[in-house]
Amino acid sequence: MTDQPIRSVAASLLDYLALEGALKIFGIPGGAAVYVMNELRQRDDIQFVICRQESGAAYMAHGYSLVTGSLGVVLTTSGPGAANALTGALNAENSGAPVLVITGEVPQKYYGRAYLQEGIDSRLDIAAVFKNAVRYSAVVSTADNFHTILQQALREARSVPPAATHISLPNDVASAPVPVAGVPTSSMHYRAVPSGLDAAQVGETFRALAEAHRPLIFLGNGCRTALQEKARRTAFADFVAKFGIAVMTTPDAKGIFPETHPMSLRNYGLCGCPWASIYMGQFDDEFSKLAHQFGLDLKPYDTLLVIGSSLGELATTVVEKEVYSPLLVPSQNFIQVDLDQSTIGRNFPLTQGIVADAGATIDELCRLGTTTNPPAGPGLALRRMFIDGIKKTYPPCADTAWRDSVGGPVNPAAAMRIVNEELKIGRIFIDAGNCVGWSLNYMEIDPPVSYHSALAMGPMGFAVAGVVGAKLGAPDVPCIAIVGDGAFMMHGAEVSTAAQNKVGAIWIVLNDNDLGMVSQGMAALFPSQPWEGYYALGAPDLVKFSEGLGARAVAITKDQDAETFRRALRDALRDAERGQPQVIVLHIDNTLSPPYGWPKLG
């Protein structure tokens, strides 16, 4: 009897990643990961993208997973390298992104002996730190438990909803032999994607929507993967059109349903479009006249279906209204669908909670819609006319003059309009700060353009690095990051990662030499204090900074107009396809603010 062929744990780990389609690994090498690094050096099918900081690597892995639908992978050394990756992993977990963080570790015989960068049995327990931040975290302590622990990490990461996971791999274990036969030949051998449909309850939901006086569907980020499938998105668009059901999204889900669709009320919540609030019953004289004109009874709206949203603060807090706005609560049917039962009914009282997959639920609604006729009578036609009337009477944004402005300094609202007009296909990544408010309120997103933010955690720097991973995952479409100057300085070194890998990502930096959202928020909350200049950033030359990192960079100064910015964006879109990163530093007026509607304290 012959011995089984063997491979090292490190080599087998890469075999698993190849099965998952994770053909890019993002990170920074180090001594506690030498065996994995050595195996990577010998493979042509997996690229190790050397980043500039481990959080940036995790953001890149997140961006890569968003555009490819595959697993994002981070590789770091132990101790500080592992700890640096934590913020990006935490962000991926809260954003529902499938990201696996692999941290090296010192050999086990040195645990507790003050070995350099040890992270297990010293003052740092990195596995415990990650366990409190992501879905799953464990230490691979022997070659015998390697398969069990890695497969569990992959199951959790690729579940529905997806998650961030972490494994710690000591060097002595990474070099240990395991039988080749132990590595599966397909991911189907160790994991399955959760799905589920409660057909009976979805049938009840369908009837409630079809019979409602004023129905509304609220889509969350949990629907993103489902609605990326064009056939399903088209079927859903046909369904809501047929039955006259209005649709809105959370901020994180902006654009997963086309915002130009006749039934779209765009995004609700933070800096949302006002159409949804009006439709639900935020009445004024204009609304009353409009409702009367279309014969619409002004009784409260009656049915809300929420799919794939936990109904968190930013999704349910409207400008100048209460947090977790009571306006959302309908008079009759409040239905929430999510595969994660822990989110159902957490923030609002429901009439019906359904534990089910978003895609399967949408499919069943569409199937029922194709075999059922809308209720007879004038109600459907009147509701369609009413929604159309709302759109014609009320602008979708806070200030149309700002949006349409052409002079200098370029108004950020006008910059959002120009990006919309110039980008017909591609990915837009939005960082934390005022760029969130400007883009949510002034952009109109339709597939095949997609909008990506990270508002569950809202870390500065996510989009700065995430756009690099996105462009690596989708090299044939434009990938643009809209970021503030503070965030750009936080993770702008990753422009160098893009340049090294010939990645033509584009950054639009809203430059006001300030942490603008903080300054404006503090001025609104504490108006008795002088805040102008208190959070100033030292007026760095971001063009020189970007050029030094390998980008083609240009500044749009305050005396240049919107058309100058448009020409710069066109040039960037053209030149990015040659594989060089592009940076547009847009100097803006720091007195302008998105429509956040800051609350009063006390």
Side-chain angles (χ1 to χ4, degrees):
M1 182 175 178
T2 59
D3 293 335
Q4 292 187 43
I6 60 172
R7 286 166 70 76
S8 70
V9 165
S12 298
L13 168 65
L14 299 185
D15 291 340
Y16 274 101
L17 299 183
L19 283 180
E20 294 290 346
L23 304 182
K24 311 280 185 190
I25 296 177
F26 302 87
I28 297 178
V34 293
Y35 292 101
V36 178
M37 290 152 44
N38 185 52
E39 293 295 338
L40 274 170
R41 188 67 182 85
Q42 301 174 59
R43 296 187 69 134
D44 296 327
D45 59 331
I46 300 177
Q47 179 188 4
F48 189 16
V49 180
I50 309 304
C51 305
R52 304 302 176 255
Q53 204 264 3
E54 292 88 352
S55 274
Y59 294 144
M60 284 188 210
H62 185 168
Y64 179 81
S65 75
L66 281 171
V67 303
T68 63
S70 66
L71 181 71
V73 181
V74 183
L75 174 64
T76 80
T77 190
S78 58
N84 279 346
L86 180 66
T87 301
L90 171 68
N91 184 61
E93 168 66 26
N94 283 272
S95 299
V99 170
L100 170 65
V101 180
I102 304 163
T103 62
E105 190 48 70
V106 305
Q108 295 175 95
K109 65 182 179 181
Y110 297 122
Y111 284 2
R113 300 181 64 187
Y115 197 94
L116 178 65
Q117 297 184 339
E118 183 203 335
I120 293 294
D121 191 26
S122 187
R123 292 182 181 271
L124 172 66
D125 185 343
I126 201 67
V129 169
F130 272 86
K131 188 169 289 186
N132 286 280
V134 300
R135 186 76 56 86
Y136 177 82
S137 175
V139 181
V140 181
S141 57
T142 71
D144 293 331
N145 65 25
F146 160 68
H147 293 290
T148 301
I149 288 174
L150 178 60
Q151 288 177 12
Q152 186 61 34
L154 293 172
R155 273 192 292 273
E156 296 281 2
R158 301 307 303 272
S159 185
V160 178
T165 60
H166 163 256
I167 63 166
S168 175
L169 185 61
N171 257 337
D172 54 325
V173 178
S175 63
V178 289
V180 171
V183 179
T185 57
S186 169
S187 62
M188 294 174 60
H189 294 166
Y190 58 85
R191 68 174 180 84
V193 178
S195 184
L197 174 67
D198 191 326
Q201 289 208 69
V202 174
E204 293 177 21
T205 299
F206 171 77
R207 288 187 289 275
L209 289 168
E211 297 169 3
H213 169 71
R214 208 184 313 161
L216 178 60
I217 296 177
F218 195 10
L219 301 175
N221 196 43
C223 298
R224 180 177 293 276
T225 299
L227 290 176
Q228 281 178 338
E229 296 183 18
K230 185 177 180 180
R232 178 183 284 131
R233 188 171 65 244
T234 300
F236 181 66
D238 291 344
F239 164 70
V240 298
K242 178 179 179 179
F243 287 86
I245 302 170
V247 178
M248 64 184 186
T249 73
T250 63
D252 254 346
K254 181 178 177 66
I256 64 170
F257 182 77
E259 294 193 323
T260 58
H261 189 279
M263 292 296 106
S264 173
L265 303 178
R266 300 196 187 180
N267 55 289
Y268 184 71
L270 176 73
C271 286
C273 176
W275 294 341
S277 294
I278 296 165
Y279 179 80
M280 285 187 285
Q282 188 177 316
F283 300 150
D284 59 15
D285 289 341
E286 284 295 318
F287 177 93
S288 299
K289 292 176 185 175
L290 190 64
H292 179 74
Q293 176 185 348
F294 293 113
L296 191 77
D297 191 338
L298 286 179
K299 63 186 178 183
Y301 98 105
D302 52 348
T303 298
L304 177 66
L305 169 61
V306 180
I307 309 177
S309 172
S310 62
L311 298 176
E313 177 211 351
L314 298 187
T316 61
T317 301
V318 188
V319 173
E320 298 176 349
K321 294 293 173 183
E322 298 91 342
V323 178
Y324 305 101
S325 174
L327 183 66
L328 269 173
V329 180
S331 62
Q332 294 184 31
N333 305 298
F334 197 143
I335 308 159
Q336 187 177 4
V337 178
D338 206 294
L339 200 55
D340 181 0
Q341 62 84 26
S342 69
T343 70
I344 294 178
R346 186 167 68 183
N347 290 326
F348 288 87
L350 306 176
T351 59
Q352 186 180 10
I354 305 175
V355 179
D357 174 65
T361 298
I362 291 169
D363 288 344
E364 180 65 5
L365 288 172
C366 294
R367 186 190 70 79
L368 292 169
T370 59
T371 58
T372 308
N373 291 322
L380 175 58
L382 290 172
R383 188 163 65 241
R384 286 176 177 151
M385 293 171 62
F386 176 66
I387 293 171
D388 185 59
I390 290 175
K391 294 183 177 186
K392 289 178 177 176
T393 306
Y394 298 90
C397 55
D399 194 314
T400 55
W402 283 9
R403 181 196 63 193
D404 299 334
S405 65
V406 295
V410 178
N411 193 300
M416 300 303 109
R417 169 182 57 82
I418 290 169
V419 173
N420 257 165
E421 292 169 353
E422 296 299 322
L423 191 70
K424 302 306 179 186
I425 181 172
R427 308 279 185 156
I428 302 174
F429 280 71
I430 305 297
D431 215 289
N434 274 347
C435 45
V436 171
W438 293 121
S439 60
L440 283 173
N441 196 253
Y442 288 97
M443 277 188 162
E444 178 183 79
I445 303 295
D446 275 0
V449 173
S450 61
Y451 176 101
H452 305 282
S453 58
L455 295 178
M457 277 287 113
M460 289 175 66
F462 157 70
V464 178
V467 72
V468 182
K471 186 64 174 175
L472 278 164
D476 297 330
V477 300
C479 293
I480 296 176
I482 300 176
V483 307
D485 47 356
F488 189 65
M489 283 188 280
M490 189 175 288
H491 279 288
E494 301 301 352
V495 170
S496 172
T497 305
Q500 180 182 1
N501 291 278
K502 295 180 169 49
V503 173
I506 300 170
W507 290 263
I508 299 172
V509 184
L510 304 185
N511 189 338
D512 58 6
N513 188 37
D514 197 1
L515 297 177
M517 185 179 184
V518 180
S519 293
Q520 292 166 0
M522 294 301 288
L525 297 172
F526 301 97
S528 62
Q529 299 287 343
W531 295 102
E532 185 175 355
Y534 187 72
Y535 297 114
L537 299 176
D541 189 330
L542 297 185
V543 169
K544 289 183 178 178
F545 171 71
S546 302
E547 289 175 339
L549 295 171
R552 174 188 171 276
V554 61
I556 308 300
T557 60
K558 287 188 176 182
D559 60 351
Q560 293 178 303
D561 61 13
E563 286 305 305
T564 307
F565 170 67
R566 185 191 299 276
R567 289 192 295 272
L569 179 57
R570 287 177 177 173
D571 290 346
L573 288 166
R574 179 199 65 219
D575 293 344
E577 298 314 304
R578 300 171 184 167
Q580 184 180 23
Q582 307 288 311
V583 177
I584 302 173
V585 181
L586 180 60
H587 291 265
I588 60 172
D589 183 348
N590 65 357
T591 65
L592 302 179
S593 175
Y596 289 125
W598 297 100
K600 291 187 170 75
L601 297 180

